[in-house]
Amino acid sequence: MLENPIDKLSLVIDDILIAERTQEIAQVMLTANETLAPEQFALLIEALPQDKRLSVWSTYPEAMQRAAFVDMGQGTRTSLIQALSDEECFELLAQLDVDEVIEIAEEIPSRLLKYAIKNLDDSQRKLYQQAQQFSVDEVGHWVDYNYVRISEKLKITSAQLLLQKGLSSYTEDFYAVNKAGVLTGTVAINALIQSDGESTLKTLFSAEIIRLNANEELTTAAETVILSGKMSLPVVDENEHFLGRFTVETAYQVKQESQTEQMTTAAGLSTDEDLFSSVRTSAKNRGIWLGINLLTAFLASWFIGFFEATLQQVVALAVLMPVVASMGGVSGSQTLTVIVRGLALGQITEQNRKVLLRKELKVGGVNGIIWSIVIGAITYFWFNSLELSFVIALAILLNLLTASASGVMIPALLNKLNIDPALSGAVILTTVTDIVGFVVFLGLGSLLLL
């Protein structure tokens, strides 16, 4: 049976952590160089404590250092830069090509970025400047320059000769342009190989050119490429000038990074936090959201304070309060997760949101009725009080309905305000369900039990 690549990485990490001397680490890395996939060497550095990273990094060959440096997360890269001397950083940056410089440009100190740009040749420096005309959220900033661009007047036989030079990854089309650099057509490699004639490439042009505008939002462009069934799509500016291509590899990377960002921000974490970043950095990143959560908790406590007299007389209400809050929070989180995912995939619109709201309210109503009966029965046998059972059953039903409605409406509202629902939706929803649950439960308790 083949060994799982993840298991291989785990074994290497364990061996490095057990090793006490630099020579032992070097021996472990000799084996790792033969067993790990190239993409795993960045993951390896990220998975190691700070005191082990330099020892492992020094065993990487130059090509592997270059690839790992670009692939690793921003927090890990920053810590590595701080540990290396400027001379070591310069030596590493001198090896990068324009695509790699663009990828890390926003994440390295300005002195290092200037050095990296300076070491690009004239043509690559021009491409770098072209990328800077677009924001990091636009596809024009991330075009791939490993393409075949040819004149639309080129003959088929001449174009076929280009095939002998070899093609870069994800190449299934040649891009034809006129004298002004305007994209006029695409030629499928398969059609070119099978063609025989002295006519120009125009006879092989695809009937329709699927293209991306350079100002298009990055995640939208990525989804377009993935759904197109093509290995790459051409990117043009507002005047139809051909700038480069956007590959399916980059598209999936963008999609994965977007999903990862939603997961980390939903937990109140920084997307660039290193696994072994300093205690101070991690505490700062997480402490901000703990503070926000504390404010919402005090808000819920403030509402509870209105019913202090009720709680003093009916202690059972205080015992059962966590049940009401927990059921509302879980139900709301379930709805919120579905809605945030739908927003991220572009599945939710103004037209279907009302239908979705009605559906979620029905789900909340069904679960509310079932679980209010269950919890009401348990409460009756526990406290032998029919009134208390009715109070908590009704509170559970109303809170689950509120949670379902909030799970749909809160992400929609935050989306309209250009606030990431994954970032703050859970905090707001929990506050709403807690307050509604407590007010309904304690309010009914005050009316029926005193």
Side-chain angles (χ1 to χ4, degrees), residues 20-65:
E20 297 180 354
R21 295 180 299 173
T22 303
Q23 294 88 337
E24 293 175 348
I25 293 177
Q27 189 61 42
V28 172
M29 291 306 299
L30 279 176
T31 305
N33 290 337
E34 298 175 359
T35 58
L36 296 184
E39 296 78 12
Q40 291 182 297
F41 284 93
L43 298 176
L44 175 59
I45 289 291
E46 292 176 339
L48 297 174
Q50 301 285 353
D51 60 335
K52 296 282 188 178
R53 286 181 177 175
L54 274 185
S55 298
V56 172
W57 179 258
S58 63
T59 68
Y60 284 13
E62 285 188 2
M64 194 178 294
Q65 285 184 344

Side-chain angles (χ1 to χ4, degrees), residues 324-434:
V324 178
S326 176
M327 292 296 288
V330 171
S331 177
S333 297
Q334 291 171 338
T335 303
L336 183 72
T337 301
V338 173
I339 300 302
V340 169
R341 178 180 179 275
L343 287 171
L345 296 176
Q347 296 173 312
I348 298 177
T349 66
E350 292 290 340
Q351 300 300 320
N352 67 9
R353 185 175 290 116
K354 291 182 180 179
V355 178
L356 190 58
L357 176 60
R358 287 197 293 270
K359 178 256 184 181
E360 290 297 329
L361 283 173
K362 290 178 182 178
V363 173
V366 170
N367 278 328
I369 291 171
I370 293 173
W371 288 106
S372 63
I373 293 173
V374 171
I375 294 171
I378 293 173
T379 302
Y380 178 77
F381 285 110
W382 189 356
F383 294 97
N384 195 29
S385 171
L386 188 61
E387 292 85 355
L388 182 59
S389 299
F390 174 75
V391 167
I392 193 170
L394 186 56
I396 291 291
L397 174 60
L398 294 177
N399 204 21
L400 261 64
L401 288 171
T402 301
S404 297
S406 300
V408 175
M409 301 309 298
I410 288 174
L413 177 61
L414 293 175
N415 205 43
K416 284 186 177 181
L417 297 175
N418 292 321
I419 301 173
D420 188 356
L423 180 63
S424 50
V427 175
I428 297 175
L429 183 138
T430 301
T431 303
V432 170
T433 55
D434 281 355

